[in-house]
Amino acid sequence: MPWAECDEVIQGNMAILVGAKEPEVTLMNGLTVTQHLLLLSFYQPSGKRNKILLESKAFPSDHYCIESQIRLRNLDPKECMLFVSPREGESYVRPEDITATLRSHGDEIAVVMLSGVQYYTGQLFDMEAIAREAHQHGCIVGFDLAHTVGNVELRLHDWDVDFACWCSYKYLNASAGGIAGAFIHEKHVDAKPVLTGWWGHEAPTRFKMDNELRLAPGGAGFRISNPPPLLCATLEASLKVFLDARMSRVRAKSKLLTGYLEALLIRSRCSDKLKILTPNDPEQRGAQLSLFILGDAEKVINDLQRRGAVCDLRRPNVLRIAPMPLYNSFHDVFRFVTLLDESLSTVLSQ
């Protein structure tokens, strides 16, 4: 892999995975840095259209990024951050409530900046419907796809999403700190970055070193520094696996695995000691189920690890369980629920 072209070598495979045209996709930076660069260009508050729409429990880095972008314009985040939230007593956002928010506040929203899959609940948002509705009200639409790419099928170009960003170290398995990706729809080919660097210069004349910036079109012009070859290499290996497996087949198995996990949890001996926060509709979730533990979840996960099971704790009480179809089996799911039953019985009966 030539270092000077290491990001471009994998650009085409990434575009296939996210449902984009190759020139619409760029590999660069980490996720939040990329999100900042995109919002610098796409968040253009004007008059009362100065709000950014996000989830009430967005991933902290998204929340901080949006707060700082608003402050950068000398605006107040308390006035310019508009949240969609689950209804009282519910765990995830109803799709009709997103639609209602767009219809009632559409003329105030400059940018929609939602997750594709919500990190805490595992809810999969209908990105196509959100983009269609938001555009009817003049909003720019962006998505953080950190928990989405490699998890569900995507058609960013066809859905008319304006921009998106994602990391590669979750479902794409490219290791912690892996390089991030960005999508900018071809209709924004003339979008210009606010911050520039030499890797945004068009490739044919980049090394002339004449200090005359000739910006590459689209997302390529948003690149600042040369990409890290080692991170591109790990991502290249992962993308080849996904393309060989085909995302449609990965997603089909994922629905079966997660459905099996849900069925076993509902029928388990300790089903009364947990609550599933994730939608039960397979079309409204990815691989993940989020379990609210009705007790000391920290002790439960420690006991699970002692038994050989690995999952994730979102403090104080939520376990995130995500059977990955590329390498998890139905037996793995059965074994996990057996171990969880044992842990819940042991820990919560003390």
Side-chain angles (χ1 to χ4, degrees):
M1 174 182 284
W3 75 268
E5 300 170 0
C6 62
D7 57 335
E8 297 171 7
V9 168
I10 57 178
Q11 185 175 328
N13 286 349
M14 182 62 85
I16 293 170
L17 195 62
V18 300
K21 296 183 178 181
E22 186 170 339
E24 295 176 320
V25 170
T26 306
L27 287 306
M28 57 181 180
N29 313 310
L31 172 54
T32 306
V33 173
T34 299
Q35 186 178 36
H36 269 299
L37 293 176
L38 293 170
L39 284 172
L40 280 170
S41 294
F42 284 100
Y43 176 49
Q44 298 295 327
S46 177
K48 74 172 185 176
R49 189 183 288 278
N50 58 17
K51 291 179 170 53
I52 298 180
L53 180 68
L54 67 158
E55 311 106 272
S56 58
K57 197 174 179 60
F59 190 78
S61 199
D62 286 7
H63 190 105
Y64 305 150
C65 173
I66 289 169
E67 272 187 330
S68 61
Q69 287 287 329
I70 291 169
R71 290 196 184 100
L72 191 62
R73 276 73 169 188
N74 295 315
L75 297 171
D76 185 353
K78 292 180 180 179
E79 296 180 0
C80 296
M81 294 175 78
L82 180 63
F83 298 100
V84 287
S85 305
R87 298 185 186 184
E88 186 174 354
E90 298 181 354
S91 59
Y92 55 88
V93 180
R94 294 192 187 188
E96 59 266 30
D97 289 348
I98 298 176
T99 300
T101 300
L102 289 168
R103 290 178 179 176
S104 59
H105 296 280
D107 61 347
E108 304 169 47
I109 298 170
V111 173
V112 173
M113 189 73 245
L114 294 170
S115 303
V117 171
Q118 217 284 332
Y119 90 100
Y120 187 77
T121 65
Q123 179 181 8
L124 169 62
F125 292 116
D126 188 338
M127 289 169 272
E128 181 179 18
I130 290 169
R132 182 171 57 247
E133 183 67 39
H135 285 151
Q136 290 178 9
H137 303 283
C139 312
I140 292 288
V141 180
F143 289 101
D144 175 352
L145 304 177
H147 293 80
T148 315
V149 176
N151 185 0
V152 301
E153 292 181 272
L154 294 167
R155 297 181 181 86
L156 298 181
H157 177 86
D158 292 344
W159 295 342
D160 202 27
V161 173
D162 293 295
F163 71 93
C165 49
W166 57 91
C167 58
S168 61
Y169 52 83
K170 294 186 176 70
Y171 291 93
L172 293 186
N173 310 302
S175 81
I179 193 168
F183 165 86
I184 298 177
H185 197 283
E186 67 177 1
K187 66 185 177 181
H188 297 296
V189 68
D190 294 326
K192 297 292 188 291
V194 173
L195 302 177
T196 55
W198 78 312
W199 224 252
H201 189 112
E202 63 178 13
T205 60
R206 181 182 296 142
F207 286 91
K208 285 184 69 175
M209 307 294 192
D210 58 8
N211 288 349
E212 295 290 335
L213 179 61
R214 288 176 286 280
L215 207 60
F222 282 69
R223 296 176 298 179
I224 292 178
S225 300
N226 60 293
L230 292 178
L231 296 184
C232 288
T234 60
L235 181 54
E236 179 187 34
S238 177
L239 290 174
K240 285 180 177 178
V241 173
F242 274 94
L243 294 185
D244 286 346
R246 296 205 303 274
M247 196 61 213
S248 59
R249 295 170 62 191
V250 172
R251 176 63 170 150
K253 183 183 175 185
S254 177
K255 289 180 179 179
L256 293 174
L257 275 174
T258 305
Y260 183 52
L261 172 63
E262 179 183 42
L264 291 179
L265 288 169
I266 291 172
R267 292 164 176 77
S268 67
R269 290 183 295 116
C270 295
S271 61
D272 60 333
K273 294 179 173 60
L274 58 86
K275 176 185 177 183
I276 300 175
L277 303 182
T278 311
N280 59 11
D281 177 3
E283 300 304 322
Q284 292 190 59
R285 67 187 184 202
Q288 170 186 333
L289 290 185
S290 295
L291 312 181
F292 186 91
I293 304 300
L294 302 173
D296 192 331
E298 188 99 38
K299 289 183 178 179
V300 171
I301 197 169
N302 288 339
D303 189 77
L304 274 171
Q305 291 172 346
R306 183 179 60 80
R307 297 172 189 272
V310 178
C311 56
D312 175 77
L313 173 64
R314 296 290 105 174
R315 289 176 174 81
N317 284 88
V318 173
L319 299 186
R320 297 189 303 173
I321 318 300
M324 181 58 188
L326 282 179
Y327 45 78
N328 282 136
S329 67
F330 290 92
H331 178 72
D332 290 335
V333 172
F334 179 84
R335 176 95 175 116
F336 171 78
V337 175
T338 301
L339 295 177
L340 179 62
D341 250 350
E342 293 171 359
S343 290
L344 289 171
S345 296
T346 300
V347 171
L348 300 187
S349 63
Q350 294 174 350

